[in-house]
Structure formats: C-alpha cells, structure tokens
Amino acid sequence: MYLDNKYTKWYNSIIETAKSRINNIDEYMENHHIVPRSLGGDNKKENLVLLTPKEHFICHVLLTKMTTGNQYYKMCYALSMISNVKRIGKGRYTPTSRLYDYSKKLQKEAIAASWTPVRVIVTGK
C-alpha cells in the first residue's frame, strides 16, 4: 500500500514511538488512524494511536509522500483538511506558513488531477 521510501520509515517510526508511550499522557493528544480510513483503515483499537498535534500533522505530510495515484490524492485532501482546522484544543498544532503553503499546493494539484470537465450536449429542436 505504501511506497518503500524514507518517508514511510519516518512515518512508521513516529507510530511506533507513539505506541510505546505510557497511557497516562497529561498533554493534549489527537487520535490518528494508522491506516487512514480513506485507504481502507478502520476504527479498531489496533489502527488508532494517540499523537501530539505536531506528530499528527507531520504524519499527514508524510502520508502524501508515501502514496501514489488515487491514494496520493486522498492523502493530499486529508492534509488540506487538517491544515484548515481551527485551534480546537489547547495544544492544536498550527502549521508554519511554509507547510501550510505546501498543503495548499498539494490540494490544488489533487483537485486538478481528479477534475474532469463536464460536457454539455446541446440538442436542436
């Protein structure tokens, strides 16, 4: 499902680090689907992990770099969505302007690649 590259290794490293944390976490954390739901993941405990807001954002950036084709476009959309969330929690991560710009470019690319023009057929009377 994922490309065999350094980004996948980094992603897996973040996930494994998060899994090894003690459950008594005092800081703000966010749920993350290890295999995103849009790629066939589910809500089972084994597919969920608690990440810091920054880790969560970074994982979504990495997911765009470890997928191709339709999966890539889905991950671009997910990154765009997480970039636009307003500060919900005390510790919600706000991306840097550079990362925000990157996510917007990916979203635009994904929309352009998946958009197909509508053909209007005009019939005479």
Side-chain angles (χ1 to χ4, degrees), residues 32-113:
H32 175 71
H33 290 88
I34 298 166
V35 176
R37 290 178 56 206
S38 63
L39 301 184
D42 55 32
N43 288 328
K44 292 182 180 173
K45 184 179 177 181
E46 301 79 35
N47 192 44
L48 294 170
V49 67
L50 287 175
L51 299 175
T52 67
K54 187 173 184 177
E55 288 171 336
H56 195 195
F57 187 85
I58 290 169
C59 279
H60 278 277
V61 170
L62 294 173
L63 282 163
T64 67
K65 296 177 177 285
M66 44 194 274
T67 52
T68 60
N70 194 43
Q71 294 176 341
Y72 167 75
Y73 299 123
K74 289 178 179 183
M75 294 302 94
C76 290
Y77 179 75
L79 176 61
S80 173
M81 297 313 313
I82 199 171
S83 298
N84 288 322
V85 174
K86 302 299 179 224
R87 294 183 78 79
I88 294 171
K90 245 171 49 175
R92 184 73 182 177
Y93 179 71
T94 304
T96 64
S97 58
R98 187 170 139 208
L99 283 173
Y100 184 79
D101 182 57
Y102 174 75
S103 73
K104 287 301 184 182
K105 285 179 183 172
L106 290 183
Q107 179 189 27
K108 184 178 178 183
E109 177 186 313
I111 289 170

Side-chain angles (χ1 to χ4, degrees), residues 73 108-119:
Y73 299 123
K108 184 178 178 183
E109 177 186 313
I111 289 170
S114 63
W115 181 82
T116 55
V118 176
R119 292 189 178 154

